[in-house]
Amino acid sequence: LAESSSRGLVWPTFRLKPDLSAPGSGILSAKSGSGADPVAETGTSMAAPHVAGAAALLRQARPGWAVGEIKAALMNTAAGPMRATNGAAYPESRVGAGRLAVDAAMRTTVIVRGESNPGAVSLSFGPILASSTVTRTQSVRVVNLGTTAASYRVVSSNTLDQPGVRLLPRVREVTVAAGGSVASPRGRAASAPD
C-alpha cells in the first residue's frame, strides 16, 4: 500500500473511504508523448482504471444489475484484511473493504448494502463521544439476485480493536429467497474507556 494512498473518513458524513483498494503502485503505463515507451507510475490514477475495468467486466456479465449492485458486489467480495510487510492489518480507513477481487465479484449473486442509503455499501455510525454506554443501530439489506435461496451466518469484526467499541449483529443467521431481499439490523455500542 503506497504511503500516498488516500485515506480516512469523509467530512462531514464520516463515510468510509476509500471504498476498496486496487493495484496502484509501480503500474506500467504508456508515457505521454513517447509513442510506445512505458513509464511506471503510482497513485489513484493507476488504481482507478483497474476498478473501472472490473466494473465493466461485471456489467458485461450481469447486464441487468444496477450501478449500486455492481459497486456492492465489488466491495462485498474484496479480499482482506490487507497487511503491511510487517504483518499488521491495515485499517478500513486505509484500504476500504479490501483488495479488488474481480473473480469473486463475478461469482457472487448476493450483495449487501446499507438499508437507509442504497448507494452506500459501508455503514457509518458517525463520531461517538461517550461518557456512558451509547448504542446505535443501522440495518443492511441482503439482496439475492440469484435463482436459489441463500443462507448466511451473520458475524462482525473490526480489523483493528477500538477500546470500548463493539459492532454487534442483531441476528445470527439470515436466509434470503431467490430474487428476494431482507433487512438485517446491526448495532454499535460504545462505552467510555475505563
Side-chain angles (χ1 to χ4, degrees), residues 39 164 190:
V39 62

Side-chain angles (χ1 to χ4, degrees), residues 14 30 46-47 50 62 65 70 72-73 76 102 112 125-128 135 141 149 174 183-184 194:
F14 293 95
M46 299 293 108
H50 285 90
R62 309 264 193 250
W65 285 18
I70 290 172
N76 293 168
V102 69
V112 181
F125 291 89
I128 299 175
T135 301
R141 178 143 304 265
V174 99
S184 175
D194 294 329

